Structure formats: C-alpha cells, structure tokens
Amino acid sequence: MIALITGASSGIGWATAEALAKLKYNLILCGRRQEKLDELAKQLSVDTHTLVFDVRNNESVATALTSLPENWQSIDVLVNNAGNAYGMSPIQDGDVADWDAMIDGNIQGLLYVSKAIVPGMVSRQRGHIVNMSSIAGKQTYANGAVYCASKAAVEAISTGMRLDLTQHGIKVTNIAPGAVETDFSTVRFKGDKARAAQVYAGFDALQAADIADTVAYAVSAPAHVTIADITILAAAQSAATTIHRK
Ligand code: 8X3
C-alpha cells in the first residue's frame, strides 16, 4: 500500500510518515526541503520516494506528481497535510502577502495536489483522502480571520469530496486538531520563538504524534467504516482559544 503525505518535512506530516510506516505503508514524502525529506526517509523502514515541490505552485505540483514512477502511481492514501499560518492580527492590520500565502497553501495547495491524485483513485475505484483541517476551521477566533477561513474551506472541501467520491469507493477523513506543539506558531509569528512558546505554555499541548496516531486510526478502519471527521483537543483545551493553563 502506498501513502502520499504533503508537508512531510516537519511536524504533523513527519509524525504521520512515522505512523504510516509502522502500518507498513510505502511512502511518497512531499515537502519543500529535500534534505529534511532525506533525513526522514533514512529512518523509515519502508520504501520511500521523495518529491520536492511547493503546493502553492500548481505547475510544480502537477510536474512532480505526473513524474511518479509507475510503481508509485497507485496511491491508496493521500494525506493533505501541508499548510501554515502566517501572521495573527486584526483584519484591518492584516498583511495581504500573509493572506495570499495562507489561501494559496491551505486551500489552493490542497486542491492542486488532490487534482493530481484523485482522478487515479476514481479510476481504481478505491482510495482514502485525509485532509488536515483545524479547530480553527470550526471556530473562528479574533485576529485569525483569514487562517480560520482557510481551514473552514478545508472543512467544506472535505465534505464536498466525500459527497462526490463515496460512490467511487473513496473515503474522506477530515481531521481538526487543536493546539499542537510544532513549529506552527514560530512560523505564524515569523520566527518569534518567545511568542510562539507562550502558545504552548502552562499545559500539556498536543504533540504531532497524537495527530499522526489519529491518521493511522482513520486509515486502519474496517472497509465498511469511514471516520469522517475528528476534532482533537489537548486535554486542557475546551475550545480553539480556551485553554486551562496551570
Ligand atoms: C492550529 C490550531 O487553534 O492554533 O490550526 O488555530 S489553532
């Protein structure tokens, strides 16, 4: 069985590669940094194929994915994990370049990759798509309008994909994590590590492996079961921005 993971060079994507390798999936690892993908591939005990592209560029996505060797083309599981948050500010202060980056990556990128992979699943009449959404796709919070909107779009796309693809034997799982301690907040706050650390201070945040376990659970469900939508919060978290800190 073959799984393709976008955003595999760090965080949830990296952990998902480890979890799916444990399930004996051979893995197509996609990301923007070849050396990171190589480092990940080296420690996995399954066959791997690495692809470097930016999901925001449809031409590179299409070129990379149509170049897959024949024995890597029958993808069973697509994990649309690549995505990011850039900036956090009230709407009137938002940076247009940040908005573009979030909309291009989190929405268009997911669509471009899906466009390259899903037709093959339809022709094989089997497959499983796992879309990485966020609690932010279900609950909009202050200073996060565009990030939340991009993840709300992922929620809608997951629902739409399920409506269109169930008849073709394809399952769609939407996963909505809460506060996961990765470099997510460092990227969001443009490298401000102290500010990023505050996000995860005073409680046990989710770890990338917790989300990877959920992906593994969803793809391991019996043939007659679709895990459609899972929200995962840290135990100390009750809503997107409501966290009980010590
Ligand atoms: C990341 C979760 O709540 O920080 O998608 O937006 S949150």
Side-chain angles (χ1 to χ4, degrees):
M1 286 188 308
I2 298 174
L4 182 148
I5 304 167
T6 64
S9 47
S10 66
I12 294 172
W14 180 294
T16 298
E18 293 176 330
L20 295 187
K22 277 194 199 132
L23 296 178
K24 307 286 176 226
Y25 279 88
N26 292 322
L27 296 171
I28 303 170
L29 305 169
C30 308
R32 282 182 289 177
R33 290 168 291 174
Q34 182 71 56
E35 69 282 1
K36 278 293 185 188
L37 296 177
D38 289 343
E39 187 188 331
L40 171 60
K42 225 184 310 162
Q43 70 174 61
L44 299 173
S45 57
V46 294
D47 291 342
T48 56
H49 184 85
T50 59
L51 288 177
V52 174
F53 59 83
D54 185 337
V55 296
R56 293 178 288 194
N57 182 324
N58 188 31
E59 216 174 299
S60 356
V61 170
T63 307
L65 294 174
T66 50
S67 77
L68 278 172
E70 175 112 31
N71 58 325
W72 283 103
Q73 286 176 11
S74 294
I75 294 162
D76 299 286
V77 172
L78 163 61
V79 184
N80 275 319
N81 165 71
N84 262 321
Y86 298 100
M88 205 182 177
S89 54
I91 195 76
Q92 69 275 19
D93 298 334
D95 180 318
V96 171
D98 287 345
W99 294 351
D100 288 349
M102 289 187 277
I103 289 171
D104 292 357
N106 301 354
I107 308 175
Q108 301 195 150
L110 182 149
L111 290 172
Y112 296 157
V113 173
S114 301
K115 175 72 184 163
I117 306 292
V118 175
M121 290 181 168
V122 171
S123 66
R124 292 186 295 277
Q125 294 285 290
R126 52 175 278 124
H128 194 152
I129 302 165
V130 179
N131 290 331
M132 205 52 68
S133 177
S134 167
I135 185 67
K138 299 180 190 288
Q139 298 170 1
T140 303
Y141 48 78
N143 303 320
V146 178
Y147 176 70
C148 295
S150 74
K151 289 299 186 177
V154 173
E155 301 272 314
I157 292 166
S158 293
T159 303
M161 283 179 161
R162 196 175 307 108
L163 287 163
D164 294 342
L165 298 173
T166 297
Q167 63 192 312
H168 296 294
I170 299 167
K171 297 182 186 181
V172 180
T173 299
N174 185 79
I175 298 187
V180 187
E181 194 171 4
T182 60
D183 61 5
F184 173 86
S185 292
T186 308
V187 173
R188 170 176 256 178
F189 299 132
K190 317 272 172 80
D192 184 340
K193 286 194 193 284
R195 190 169 171 203
Q198 282 170 17
V199 175
Y200 310 110
F203 74 108
D204 284 334
L206 292 165
Q207 300 300 311
D210 299 319
I211 312 308
D213 283 350
T214 307
V215 177
Y217 166 70
V219 302
S220 305
H224 69 287
V225 176
T226 291
I227 306 297
D229 196 1
I230 305 186
T231 300
I232 318 163
L233 302 176
Q237 181 175 24
S238 47
T241 56
T242 309
I243 295 175
H244 181 72
R245 298 176 199 264
K246 282 175 221 124

